[in-house]
């Protein structure tokens, strides 16, 4: 976990790199630290404690997707890495944001959505 320190500067620098070349969408990161930042950015589209349908999750992901990867792959990544949790109810399948991702890296507390 110690090498996965995510600071506001690191976050901003990555974000700048991803959004500078608007001619081409960047590939989704394979590096763990970069992937966490990408997934965190997408997670900020959702409100803590609210339940979302799969369609709502997909719309939120599409609005914030900076990468050449589809929204379903991002949703799967968000579930696998602890940014989303799936809730099964009689009325169907729902999603909520999760703080499980905090266990996988050391996040600077000044980054929105990590406290």
């Amino acid at each position: 976990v110690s090498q996965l320190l995510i600071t506001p500067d690191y976050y901003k620098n990555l974000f700048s790199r991803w959004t500078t070349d608007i001619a081409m969408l960047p590939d989704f990161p394979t590096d763990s630290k970069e992937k966490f930042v990408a997934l965190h950015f997408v997670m900020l589209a959702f409100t803590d404690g609210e339940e979302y349908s799969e369609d709502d999750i997909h719309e939120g992901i599409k609005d914030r997707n900076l990468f050449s990867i589809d929204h379903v792959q991002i949703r799967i990544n968000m579930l696998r890495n602890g940014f989303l949790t799936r809730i099964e109810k009689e009325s169907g399948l729902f999603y909520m944001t999760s703080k499980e991702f905090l266990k996988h890296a050391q996040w600077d507390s000044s980054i929105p959505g990590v406290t």
Side-chain angles (χ1 to χ4, degrees):
V1 169
S2 58
Q3 77 274 21
L4 293 179
L5 173 63
I6 298 172
T7 64
D9 282 344
Y10 178 79
Y11 201 114
K12 283 181 205 138
N13 291 340
L14 262 185
F15 200 83
S16 297
R17 198 175 84 212
W18 290 332
T19 55
T20 301
D21 182 9
I22 53 171
M24 203 174 93
L25 291 174
D27 289 332
F28 192 74
T30 53
D31 174 76
S32 294
K33 195 169 161 180
E34 289 187 12
K35 185 188 296 184
F36 290 148
V37 170
L39 294 172
H40 178 266
F41 172 73
V42 172
M43 184 194 75
L44 292 176
F46 307 105
T47 305
D48 277 351
E50 262 189 52
E51 292 182 0
Y52 293 91
S53 69
E54 192 165 88
D55 286 346
D56 291 339
I57 288 291
H58 286 166
E59 284 308 307
I61 291 170
K62 286 177 190 173
D63 285 347
R64 294 182 82 90
N65 186 2
L66 303 171
F67 305 98
S68 60
I69 181 178
D70 87 343
H71 57 279
V72 175
Q73 294 302 311
I74 291 181
R75 177 178 50 85
I76 291 167
N77 266 285
M78 290 178 79
L79 284 163
R80 275 195 196 129
N81 291 286
F83 290 85
L84 280 180
T85 186
R86 191 175 13 218
I87 303 156
E88 292 186 42
K89 294 182 166 188
E90 278 185 36
S91 54
L93 201 55
F94 297 91
Y95 295 85
M96 288 178 81
T97 59
S98 169
K99 297 287 188 190
E100 283 296 303
F101 71 91
L102 294 173
K103 296 178 181 173
H104 304 299
Q106 192 179 338
W107 294 78
D108 183 295
S109 62
S110 67
I111 295 170
V114 302
T115 50

